[in-house]
Amino acid sequence: MSRSILKHAFESIKEGHSRIKLSEDKALLRSDSINITENITIYRNYFRIYKDSIVDYKSNFNGIVINICLNANHYYKSELSNFKINPLPNHTIVNFITKDKGKIFYKKNSEVNNVIIYIKLPFLYEFFKDNSVIKNFLIKNEKEEFSQSIKVKRTDIKTRVCALEIYKSFSNNACDILYIQSKALEILSYEFINLFEQDSLDERNVKFSSYDIDALYRAKKIISENLKNSPSILELSKMVKLNQFKLKYGFKNFFKTTPRNFLIENRMIKAKKLLEESELNIGEIAKEVGYKQGHNLTTTFVKYYGQKPKDIIKSRKSYY
């Protein structure tokens, strides 16, 4: 994440709302929360950890918690079960939490930056009232009274863009709060589709043969090896001999992404590597990863990483 965003977070997040308690010599803690509805709440955290620390933590959550990790170097271990949370930078963790308690282990000289969306059970039951598979999942997990992980995945670019907008918006006026609420609901629309996608596939009776699965992995390889001249969905479908419907649903089912997002992710990873290690300029790197112009790369790169390509180029040893 860019230093400007971190600085903005450091200066702007309200004090006094963090449920994590550490002395000032061990950490700087900044948190706040915004109620989207009576059953949905956003939490934004900026922690700077100075010393190795262990914190007792008791959660009153009772529902699904979506943790969008922008930066992290800590982990949580429940005292009630084998439940653990091990956040990773640029990853999204979705958990079913039922009033857990345990310990959080923080590592010295680290930062925690995240956006957490908590969805209470009443909303989930109402929202999925017509989906028997999901309702049964909720009922089963609520009865067990133990927290569990539902999914850990690299954050989709659309979710990340929304999370960054939420993270760096700190005005208290009504329009800005409304904007934050809209971004949180947008994240839910993305994450709910991904979260229960296997159930949706089961209900549609979509079957994947061994040939189909091999075709999906071939498609993934084709995309990653052709960033400069990437095929369209139609072209890719023909190349691996798999219809477009199965290609799109297969990517969501097996790779937890879409062909388009997988392409963007690989382009961004390669672009970042070239920005850090090569002597190419932004325009040349843009062409290497499949963009016609440098500004196209810059726009997507800022959305994905939260910083400008030119700032990375300035950090090159050869720049000075």
Side-chain angles (χ1 to χ4, degrees):
M1 187 191 310
S2 71
R3 287 292 166 188
S4 62
I5 292 176
L6 293 180
K7 183 174 183 294
H8 186 52
F10 175 82
E11 293 177 343
S12 304
I13 298 181
K14 299 175 184 176
E15 296 185 53
H17 292 83
S18 176
R19 296 179 299 164
I20 307 299
K21 303 302 179 185
L22 281 172
S23 59
E24 292 183 357
D25 66 313
K26 290 185 176 180
L28 170 70
L29 307 177
R30 297 288 186 271
S31 296
D32 72 351
S33 63
I34 299 171
N35 291 323
I36 305 302
T37 70
E38 63 179 352
N39 289 314
I40 303 175
T41 303
I42 299 174
Y43 298 89
R44 302 181 296 188
N45 299 309
Y46 171 80
F47 299 165
R48 182 177 293 170
I49 309 299
Y50 304 132
K51 300 178 179 179
D52 289 334
S53 303
I54 302 175
V55 179
D56 290 320
Y57 181 77
K58 185 175 181 180
S59 169
N60 291 319
F61 290 155
N62 191 23
I64 287 178
V65 178
I66 301 173
N67 184 349
I68 304 160
C69 309
L70 305 173
N71 200 0
N73 192 10
H74 65 289
Y75 67 95
Y76 170 82
K77 187 177 187 305
S78 173
E79 295 176 350
L80 304 179
S81 66
N82 292 325
F83 177 64
K84 296 179 181 179
I85 304 175
N86 187 18
L88 297 170
N90 298 320
H91 279 68
T92 296
I93 303 173
V94 184
N95 296 310
F96 189 94
I97 307 291
T98 54
K99 297 183 178 179
D100 208 275
K101 72 172 183 177
K103 296 185 183 296
I104 305 177
F105 299 80
Y106 291 103
K107 297 182 181 179
K108 67 179 180 180
N109 301 324
S110 64
E111 292 183 349
V112 177
N113 315 101
N114 61 20
V115 173
I116 294 174
I117 304 178
Y118 166 42
I119 310 103
K120 296 180 182 178
L121 283 174
F123 175 89
L124 295 168
Y125 280 126
E126 177 63 24
F127 189 82
F128 295 111
K129 63 183 179 182
D130 296 325
N131 190 317
S132 60
V133 175
I134 297 174
K135 279 182 65 178
N136 290 337
F137 167 84
L138 296 171
I139 293 169
K140 177 179 178 293
N141 285 279
E142 185 180 12
K143 286 181 178 179
E144 288 182 354
E145 297 184 349
F146 288 118
S147 299
Q148 67 166 291
S149 177
I150 298 175
K151 181 174 292 187
V152 179
K153 65 186 179 69
R154 188 171 181 86
T155 303
D156 294 333
I157 187 168
K158 291 187 290 187
T159 293
R160 180 175 172 79
V161 170
C162 290
L164 284 171
E165 289 298 312
I166 291 171
Y167 193 78
K168 64 185 181 182
S169 299
F170 297 106
S171 172
N172 286 323
N173 70 58
C175 288
D176 287 333
I177 295 297
L178 184 62
Y179 179 74
I180 291 172
Q181 290 172 330
S182 71
K183 290 299 170 184
L185 293 174
E186 189 175 342
I187 288 174
L188 290 186
S189 73
Y190 302 142
E191 295 304 318
F192 277 170
I193 291 173
N194 290 331
L195 183 61
F196 299 111
E197 61 194 5
Q198 183 58 55
D199 300 316
S200 298
L201 287 174
D202 289 343
E203 291 178 355
R204 292 170 179 261
N205 294 316
V206 177
K207 306 294 183 182
F208 287 92
S209 67
S210 59
Y211 176 86
D212 295 335
I213 295 171
D214 287 342
L216 288 168
Y217 278 92
R218 290 200 306 274
K220 190 178 181 183
K221 188 171 187 290
I222 289 169
I223 292 173
S224 62
E225 292 179 351
N226 293 274
L227 303 180
K228 198 170 183 178
N229 298 293
S230 61
S232 67
I233 289 293
L234 177 59
E235 291 169 336
L236 187 60
S237 175
K238 291 179 179 179
M239 291 169 76
V240 298
K241 296 180 174 59
L242 191 66
N243 68 59
Q244 293 183 59
F245 176 80
K246 275 197 170 182
L247 181 62
K248 293 176 182 178
Y249 267 85
F251 257 75
K252 288 184 179 181
N253 183 37
F254 292 99
F255 309 134
K256 313 306 178 189
T257 188
T258 65
R260 176 65 179 169
N261 284 345
F262 181 73
L263 171 64
I264 292 172
E265 178 181 344
N266 277 268
R267 281 177 168 174
M268 292 303 100
I269 292 171
K270 183 174 181 180
K272 189 171 187 291
K273 184 177 178 64
L274 291 173
L275 286 164
E276 292 172 339
E277 300 177 4
S278 76
E279 295 185 359
L280 300 176
N281 61 40
I282 293 174
E284 291 169 333
I285 292 172
K287 291 178 180 178
E288 282 296 312
V289 298
Y291 293 100
K292 292 182 179 180
Q293 303 292 335
H295 66 83
N296 300 126
L297 169 62
T298 297
T299 299
T300 307
F301 195 89
V302 170
K303 287 181 179 179
Y304 193 84
Y305 286 112
Q307 63 181 138
K308 296 178 180 179
K310 67 179 182 181
D311 293 334
I312 295 179
I313 287 181
K314 289 179 181 178
S315 68
R316 291 177 183 169
K317 292 181 180 180
S318 59
Y319 183 81
Y320 297 97

